[in-house]
Amino acid sequence: MGLTLAEKILKAHVVDGNFIKGEEIGLKIDQTLTQDATGTMAYIEFEAMGIDQVRTERSVAYIDHNTLQSGFENADDHRFIASVAKKHGIYYSRPGNGICHQVHLERFGAPGKTLIGSDSHTPTGGGIGMLAIGAGGLDVAVAMGGGAYYITYPKIVNVELVGKLSPWVAAKDVILELLRRISVKGGVGKIIEYTGEGVKTLSVPERATITNMGAELGATTSIFPSDDVTLTFLKAQGREDVWTSMAADDDAVYDEHIVIDLSTLEPMAACPHSPDNVKSIKEIGKMKIDQVCIGSCTNSSLLDMLKVAYILDGKTVHPDVSLAVSPGSKQVLNMMAENGALSKIIDAGARVLESACGPCIGMGQSPNSKGISLRTFNRNFEGRSGTKDGQVYLVSPEVAAASAVAGYLCDPRELGNMPEFKLPEKFTINDNMITLPASPEDAKNVEVLRGPNIKEYPKTEPLADSLTADCSLKVGDNITTDHIMPAGAKILPLRSNIPAISKHCFAVCDEQFPDRALSLGKSIIVGGTNYGQGSSREHAALAPLYLGVKAVIVKSFARIHRQNLINAGIIPLEFTNEADYDTIDLGDTLSIENFKEELMNSGVVTIKNTTKGTVFTAKCDLSGRMKDVIRCGGLLEYTKENLK
Ligand code: MIC
Ligand code: SF4
């Protein structure tokens, strides 16, 4: 029986476990990446492991999220990461060099390799045929130390692309179509593998847009084959030496099969407040808009910018609209300057921002009250833009630019004929903003520079025999990590200070939660389906850990967050019978008498609601390794014991 592309890469990297679907497998990781908002914690954890030099083929630390620097905190974090990187063998991409996923694709990604990154959009690398997975910072720290990265061997879904996109219909519309069809839960426990004739019609940046936003499906990762198109891209980056041809076998067997006919797609938008709330631009109609933001790791490639420049050429941004543009990398920005695209964008009245995440993570450019903002980004969760009642629509750069000029949501097909947009045969290559690490000998003399905002990893405790605690919070379905641990300009600077950031935990849902949880000492959170979707931020587990949360009982979990909870020693429980969710209220006392024993044996725990006088069960499927992690009180303690 033939193998899928994902299976080939998985198979070549399995170092632990049986290669059986649904079972936990340990993978050898070739490359890692971190960004600054998750990176400080990841490096604090790496330091705690006591390993001198990273044991990967390449590890890169990027600064792209916290670049506003409205206080000393961000700059201190940058300095800390720069010094840790220098000391431990990690390449350092300086602020200004670009968004981690864009730069990694340009300068480091390689077909057939494994990459984990402490950012949920790491699957961008799937655009060049690498198996790139988003993970918590601690998992990345372990991989940097040479430890395996564990996933449940996922189902492999084949998305067969046929036909060719019509003019002004974009790669963004392909992933929006998939989100429309299978929802933000549709990819959980699955790898999405693209095949078919339509693949050849898509350039690497277009493929990367699709794999990037596959994160919004909840998928483990997404991947395209590595073919001639990949080779052309890598050649243009001066990196053809890393190219290998990679594709599924002809007789590969997939768990699911979905066909998308590219020629039938039309421009679409994900409406507030979920990436799967997708409608066609026609269906939404001529809606007046207040803001347009173009950029983010989904749509900030040179190809995107060339299209935007073409649409804006000789025009003026509508007087009622503010347009912000953040090119994805220094390379992109530089080439826009060289080929004149930048001046067209500036001339039209765009507010050009630095090459960083910026508005995508609420770092500036929050829309006006109730403002309608079109964004080429990947997430439109409530409040993420920094304006609580902001209405964010996710669209392609083509829709964004055309609408910025029109002043209302508009279909770019109204622009008439579309020219052919081509990538250059050679990109402008200058890696001067990537600092190389010190040699292992010199590394001993490198001092790690810490600021006063950089605090330690919170204390964890080994698993207790029993647990009795109150329900400190009850939330509904599709809770995102932006609900659990909001980001934005005010809170992001606290990422290396868990006691301080914890004060904002769940602020969007219930401002009293942090104080309540702290005063209870230990407590339990109750939630609905797809709990913890979205980002990889382990802070969404570390803040609850600091606040004394011992277990989270929900209908279902998103993958990375569940792992982050386990890593933090918090027990992720799922209702055996979802109807039991309705029987619990805030403040109820829940008691699990044989907590440890049941977790370690059957994985099903019996919970007494002593307030209501009811009894129910919840399950927690744990591999043998996960049990050990939980017994130790988390992955950090476990790793200290096991990874020498
Ligand atoms: C995001 O897009 O939500 C982020 C900010 O990039 C996060 C990482 C973080 O919270 O630092 C992600 O996607 O993992
Ligand atoms: Fe940055 Fe936004 Fe991409 Fe997250 S989704 S990595 S915040 S650009």
Side-chain angles (χ1 to χ4, degrees):
M1 199 172 69
L3 293 177
T4 72
L5 169 55
E7 283 169 342
K8 286 185 189 181
I9 305 178
L10 287 172
K11 199 166 179 191
H13 289 84
V14 169
V15 288
D16 196 9
N18 304 315
F19 198 56
I20 297 172
K21 272 194 192 152
E23 287 199 14
E24 192 183 55
I25 46 174
L27 301 175
K28 175 187 175 297
I29 296 302
D30 302 322
Q31 300 188 349
T32 63
L33 73 79
T34 56
Q35 39 90 336
D36 50 316
T38 54
T40 42
M41 214 20 94
Y43 294 115
I44 290 169
E45 291 154 355
F46 180 77
E47 282 190 305
M49 287 171 200
I51 292 162
D52 288 340
Q53 292 285 303
V54 289
R55 296 173 183 162
T56 49
E57 290 174 15
R58 176 73 71 245
S59 286
V60 190
Y62 294 90
I63 306 292
D64 53 2
H65 280 62
N66 272 324
T67 56
L68 211 52
Q69 297 173 224
S70 52
F72 65 93
E73 294 90 346
N74 295 166
D76 277 10
D77 283 354
H78 302 171
R79 202 178 53 160
F80 166 69
I81 293 176
S83 61
V84 165
K86 194 166 187 186
K87 191 170 183 69
H88 296 291
I90 300 153
Y91 283 47
Y92 174 65
S93 173
R94 293 161 60 183
N97 198 42
I99 305 174
C100 54
H101 309 303
Q102 175 67 25
V103 179
H104 207 85
L105 193 75
E106 291 167 356
R107 307 304 308 141
F108 296 107
K113 296 282 182 189
T114 51
L115 162 73
I116 67 165
S118 59
D119 191 281
S120 64
H121 291 103
T122 303
T124 313
I128 46 170
M130 79 187 307
L131 197 87
I133 306 179
L138 188 45
D139 283 317
V140 176
V142 170
M144 285 192 286
Y149 174 59
Y150 287 84
I151 56 167
T152 307
Y153 186 153
K155 288 191 174 153
I156 319 277
V157 180
N158 178 210
V159 175
E160 186 186 345
L161 301 179
V162 299
K164 188 176 182 311
L165 290 171
S166 312
W168 300 118
V169 182
K172 184 63 157 274
D173 299 310
V174 179
I175 188 64
L176 289 177
E177 169 66 7
L178 200 55
L179 277 154
R180 187 184 71 77
R181 289 202 208 172
I182 70 172
S183 91
V184 290
K185 292 183 284 218
V188 176
K190 299 171 187 172
I191 290 180
I192 314 283
E193 191 170 312
Y194 291 87
T195 66
E197 284 301 302
V199 164
K200 291 197 196 103
T201 67
L202 298 171
S203 64
V204 164
E206 291 173 302
R207 296 175 183 186
T209 292
I210 295 171
T211 57
N212 169 286
M213 209 172 162
E216 273 53 66
L217 298 165
T220 303
T221 189
S222 304
I223 190 166
F224 273 83
S226 166
D227 56 9
D228 289 350
V229 176
T230 323
L231 177 59
T232 308
F233 176 83
L234 286 169
K235 255 192 197 149
Q237 289 288 355
R239 301 202 296 118
E240 59 271 38
D241 52 316
V242 304
W243 181 79
T244 44
S245 170
M246 307 255 353
D249 290 330
D250 290 339
D251 57 346
V253 179
Y254 291 93
D255 296 290
E256 282 170 49
H257 182 74
I258 295 172
V259 179
I260 296 183
D261 183 349
L262 299 177
S263 60
T264 62
L265 297 184
E266 50 180 317
M268 286 180 277
C271 305
H273 295 287
S274 181
D276 61 359
N277 188 10
V278 175
K279 294 197 177 109
S280 73
I281 300 297
K282 252 199 268 147
E283 243 178 297
I284 305 170
K286 283 193 172 177
M287 174 181 65
K288 202 164 156 22
I289 58 168
D290 301 293
Q291 186 194 45
V292 174
C293 296
I294 299 175
S296 94
C297 56
T298 317
N299 277 121
S300 59
S301 67
L302 182 62
L303 193 68
D304 289 329
M305 295 297 150
L306 293 178
K307 291 179 184 171
V308 170
Y310 174 84
I311 296 171
L312 295 181
D313 191 11
K315 311 266 172 36
T316 301
V317 173
H318 190 277
D320 298 341
V321 177
S322 163
L323 168 66
V325 178
S326 27
S329 68
K330 167 170 163 280
Q331 183 185 75
V332 172
L333 184 53
N334 222 348
M335 293 193 71
M336 289 163 67
E338 283 164 6
N339 66 25
L342 183 60
S343 92
K344 289 177 188 163
I345 292 176
I346 295 174
D347 211 36
R351 303 166 66 179
V352 179
L353 308 177
E354 71 173 313
S355 297
C357 300
C360 178
I361 192 56
M363 275 289 184
Q365 302 292 326
S366 300
N368 54 286
S369 312
K370 300 202 176 76
I372 297 192
S373 177
L374 304 187
R375 300 179 161 213
T376 65
F377 308 166
N378 46 40
R379 289 186 176 145
N380 57 349
F381 303 143
E382 203 169 355
R384 182 173 160 108
S385 65
T387 301
K388 222 171 172 183
D389 55 7
Q391 306 289 312
V392 176
Y393 290 75
L394 306 173
V395 296
S396 67
E398 289 86 332
V399 170
S403 305
V405 174
Y408 57 84
L409 179 69
C410 96
D411 188 328
R413 290 176 299 181
E414 289 169 17
L415 297 170
N417 287 345
M418 186 184 88
E420 198 187 338
F421 296 103
K422 272 207 190 129
L423 282 173
E425 271 172 35
K426 270 260 156 273
F427 288 96
T428 303
I429 297 159
N430 184 354
D431 290 331
N432 61 341
M433 291 294 277
I434 296 171
T435 309
L436 301 190
S439 68
E441 302 82 68
D442 294 344
K444 295 187 185 78
N445 304 320
V446 175
E447 188 197 344
V448 174
L449 305 168
R450 273 168 242 276
N453 186 44
I454 300 176
K455 301 276 189 284
E456 280 175 11
Y457 189 85
K459 294 261 167 307
T460 59
E461 285 165 12
L463 181 65
D465 292 337
S466 64
L467 173 67
T468 298
D470 287 2
C471 168
S472 54
L473 185 74
K474 185 174 179 187
V475 287
D477 290 344
N478 287 322
I479 286 294
T480 72
T481 50
D482 279 295
H483 290 110
I484 307 174
M485 200 58 264
K490 290 193 199 94
I491 305 177
L492 272 176
L494 305 173
R495 282 291 181 92
S496 22
N497 185 342
I498 300 298
I501 205 170
S502 299
K503 297 195 177 110
H504 303 274
C505 189
F506 274 112
V508 197
C509 305
D510 180 349
E511 281 180 2
Q512 311 303 322
F513 168 72
D515 285 345
R516 188 187 311 129
L518 266 186
S519 65
L520 284 170
K522 56 182 171 179
S523 69
I524 295 174
I525 292 175
V526 172
T529 56
N530 202 22
Y531 179 89
Q533 68 162 325
S535 124
S536 69
R537 63 190 72 146
E538 59 186 338
H539 303 76
L542 297 183
L545 167 69
Y546 177 80
L547 296 173
V549 174
K550 298 291 174 202
V552 180
I553 316 175
V554 299
K555 293 181 184 170
S556 67
F557 284 101
R559 178 186 68 90
I560 306 179
H561 185 61
R562 180 178 188 271
Q563 192 57 54
N564 283 339
L565 288 173
I566 294 174
N567 291 353
I570 298 177
I571 314 302
L573 295 165
E574 285 170 303
F575 290 103
T576 321
N577 175 5
E578 286 191 2
D580 290 324
Y581 167 87
D582 300 320
T583 65
I584 309 171
D585 289 310
L586 182 70
D588 284 1
T589 303
L590 306 174
S591 172
I592 316 176
E593 214 167 289
N594 299 316
F595 196 34
K596 188 170 179 177
E597 195 193 310
E598 288 178 334
L599 272 179
M600 294 302 134
N601 295 316
S602 65
V604 177
V605 297
T606 306
I607 307 172
K608 273 192 205 139
N609 183 336
T610 54
T611 310
K612 298 274 160 55
T614 52
V615 178
F616 63 96
T617 55
K619 60 181 188 300
C620 181
D621 289 332
L622 296 171
S623 66
R625 184 194 64 96
M626 286 178 192
K627 285 180 187 165
D628 290 340
V629 168
I630 277 179
R631 214 184 282 127
C632 294
L635 184 61
L636 191 58
E637 290 310 313
Y638 170 85
T639 306
K640 279 192 210 157
E641 280 175 26
N642 290 277
L643 194 75
K644 287 280 151 16

